[in-house]
Amino acid sequence: RAGRKNLLSEQESSMSLFASPRFLRHVMWADAASCAATGALQLVVTQTLADLTGLPAALLTGTGLFLLAYASAAAWMARRQPLPRTLIGLVALGNLGWALGCAVLVFGSGLALSAWGLAWVAAQAVVVLVLADLQWAGLRATRHESRQEAHLAL
């Protein structure tokens, strides 16, 4: 009985964490920061990363530019009051798409990636999968409050 009570207490604690009005905002800031850092790194040391990873410099440049633009959009979403839930849902789907793109790059592109290249792409896939999961968790946990706010606005 005590074990079950502790389990319920832990579940309630994690649910309250996800339901916090700040949780989803913090996740979006983390998404923006990780994209800004990755994009900037890919643009500043493009050729070094290309040599180290086996990724084409043009791919690193293109995705670096995209990541900086995306980071700006994610930061904009994180600052909005209320949070743009539909856009954040699309961001979560985009993160899943990025992870899928990473898998295609590794397994279907025919590129001869080095161990560092595999690690670079795998790290991005893991980060975006974690972010997508946290974004979905935050959206699900705050769904009820969002409906109440919409109802009150009518």
Side-chain angles (χ1 to χ4, degrees), residues 6-25:
N6 285 339
L7 178 61
L8 288 175
S9 175
E10 288 175 20
Q11 287 174 340
E12 289 170 356
S13 175
S14 68
M15 290 304 292
S16 65
L17 170 70
F18 295 135
S20 164
R22 293 184 306 265
F23 177 78
L24 196 50
R25 189 172 311 280

Side-chain angles (χ1 to χ4, degrees), residues 67-148:
L67 288 169
L68 290 180
Y70 171 87
S72 176
W76 177 84
M77 287 179 227
R79 287 191 307 267
R80 306 309 314 153
Q81 189 64 297
L83 289 170
R85 296 175 56 78
T86 301
L87 290 177
I88 292 172
L90 291 173
V91 163
L93 288 174
N95 280 334
L96 292 175
W98 191 272
L100 179 62
C102 289
V104 168
L105 185 66
V106 168
F107 298 110
S109 70
L111 291 174
L113 299 177
S114 69
W116 287 109
L118 291 171
W120 182 257
V121 174
Q124 287 190 34
V126 168
V127 168
V128 296
L129 285 172
V130 168
L131 286 166
D133 187 46
L134 293 173
Q135 286 157 344
W136 283 121
L139 286 169
R140 278 191 316 269
T142 58
R143 179 177 45 217
H144 182 67
E145 288 125 22
S146 174
R147 285 185 188 151
Q148 283 181 333

Side-chain angles (χ1 to χ4, degrees), residues 24-36 74 78 127 131 134-135:
L24 196 50
R25 189 172 311 280
H26 289 311
V27 172
M28 290 308 296
W29 280 118
D31 201 348
S34 68
C35 288
V127 168
L131 286 166
L134 293 173
Q135 286 157 344

